[in-house]
Amino acid sequence: MTAAAPAIPHTFNSMLCLRGQGVVKGYAIGRAAVMGAAALEVVHYRIQPEAVEEECARLKAALAQARDELQHMVANLPDDAPREMGALLTVHSMLLDDRMLSEQACNLIIERHYNAEWALTTQGQVLGEQFAAMEDEYLRERGTDIRQVIERVLRVLSGTPVALPQFDSGYSGELIVVARDISPADMLRLRGARFGAFLTDLGGPTSHTAIVARSMNVPAVVGMGNIRTLVRDGDLLIVDGMSGAVLVNPPDFVLEEYRRRQSAYADDRAELGRLKYAEAVTLDGVQVKLEANIELPEEAEQALAAGADGIGLFRSEFLFMGRRDLPGEEEQYEAYATVVKAMQGRPVTIRTLDIGADKTLDGDATVATNPALGLRAIRYCLAHPEIFQTQLRALLRASVHGKLRILVPMIAHLHEVRAVRQAIAEACQHLESRDISFDRNVEVGAMVEIPAIAIAIEPFVEQLDFLSIGTNDLIQYTLAIDRGDNDVADLYDPMHPAVLRLISHTINAAQRYGKSVAVCGEMAGDAQVTRMLLGLGLREFSMHPQQLLDVKKEVRQSHTNALRVKVASALNRAERINLDELAG
């Protein structure tokens, strides 16, 4: 449950042991296929003043060619390409038109006489640092998009083709792709090859490599630091997507052990597959609702295929990111309606825009003293009523297609709840004036992710229709730990008694008032803590679709009455709770 430790290699006899962050479960055994380094180490030189115009034209031509290549890929996506691929490639294409990248790079050519490659990488570094400083993990990962599109442009400028792995036609086993990072475009080019896993130096749980690997159900370990420099083409690798371990050139007895684990895991997945249509009911007959978290409208079908009872969290900020303009009411309505229709009557909970103060929507960066505590999420929306009203109208319009719920992030004050209610009332009046239909009984809930609302939860419960506990932020704010900071990441502990007491207090309050409450953070999808959450009284979980069956299995093997007694006793301790006590 804690962040992965940095990749510090060690050896066992001749075997090299590496570690990263496993983002897709499973085992893979195969030969390494190392992707060539991107051409980021470019030549830096100053051009003559009279060559400025020509150099700017060279850069713009390369940007246009890279953009055209991506748009061509989008227009010619194979039928069996992952659903997320088109959207990811489109985001990269749009970044190449962003003036923060193209115009600022040209300004460096004009003002400092940098050559095109130097100007592009310099501006890319500026943008990358801005993303790296962001508090939100998902937004922080988007800095990867900037780097990947710059690498594509640099390849165009240098005339260097994409350095994909070289496959040995005589090898019949699985290939394991080892790369510094894998862009969506590279992932598409790798499609069809017989690879068994992805390993990257960079990336996290929300990186493109992780997103696409999950959709393909291929084991992946990211954030390995420098594996690409430690592994050679043809090295025999064992990949453990559960623990994030990678073993290089293992001895026979280790290989045999992991072949046994791989076989057992395959049997386990086949067994889990039979649970798809089984009810999520505990041994003592308690019904549990298992919903899915999604980031793209297209993922609703994936959630439905996994057997989700609904969408517990749709992060609407995806619609706003990677573009210079704002999505209009019609565009947002189409996206929300797509998800609601796809879920065929099951509930769909859509979170309103959750954007931080460290980056405005049009790409103009601002400086916040502490972005995590600044003008973000509902604070941002209430400060920009024109943006909020557009989204609320789109959400209300989509509500005619099924059961849609509005979820508001970062609520800490009751006056914010009242302001949201007032904003929704204004959106309703606007739609009525246009004679547009909508569900007048749309439920409104709040994310419980700030300790203040969890501690003083009762009046919030009274004024809201439902609650959703965002454990990622709740843990971070409670323990004052940035899990993205390697220096303190080991202190990020979901099992800390203070965190669990806040969750327990929230669940108990919601149940007393007859309101529904879910957990939609990473804890909900971690089958290791399912029994703990059941013991705390939780009956609604929302997670990535791939995690649904693992959690359902735990639910069906649990007895809530016994767990409540064990958890209640454990909550009184000062030390972190040992999950082993809840087993059996």
Side-chain angles (χ1 to χ4, degrees), residues 204-238:
T206 58
S207 65
H208 292 325
T209 300
I211 292 171
V212 177
R214 273 196 289 268
S215 72
M216 301 168 71
N217 200 25
V218 173
V221 180
V222 301
M224 301 206 66
N226 57 352
I227 185 172
R228 198 174 53 81
T229 63
L230 298 171
V231 171
R232 297 166 300 180
D233 270 331
D235 278 346
L236 181 60
L237 304 181
I238 292 175

Side-chain angles (χ1 to χ4, degrees), residues 283-284 531 534-535 539 558-569 581-584:
L283 293 174
D284 51 338
R531 291 171 188 251
L534 288 171
R539 300 294 179 262
S558 300
H559 196 293
T560 58
N561 286 332
L563 288 171
R564 292 211 77 149
V565 173
K566 290 181 180 178
V567 171
S569 173
E581 298 176 29
L582 306 180

Side-chain angles (χ1 to χ4, degrees), residues 329 389 392-394 396-397 399-400 422-442:
E329 179 182 323
Q389 279 295 310
L392 291 176
R393 289 196 299 272
L396 290 168
R397 288 177 56 193
S399 67
V400 299
Q422 178 60 34
I424 292 174
E426 292 173 10
C428 290
Q429 291 174 2
H430 185 93
L431 293 179
E432 287 171 345
S433 69
R434 293 160 55 192
D435 199 23
I436 296 177
S437 301
F438 61 92
D439 181 0
R440 298 173 188 280
N441 299 308
V442 168

Side-chain angles (χ1 to χ4, degrees), residues 22 56 69 95 104 147 202 225-226 243 263 271 296 301 344 376 380 395 413 429 438 446 454 471 492 496 503 545:
C56 284
E69 289 175 353
L95 285 173
Q104 292 301 320
R147 179 177 45 73
L202 307 178
N226 57 352
S243 68
S263 176
E271 183 70 23
L296 304 166
E301 293 181 10
Q344 304 172 14
R376 57 170 295 199
Y380 182 93
L395 287 167
H413 304 274
Q429 291 174 2
F438 61 92
T471 51
Y492 182 90
H496 192 291
I503 295 174

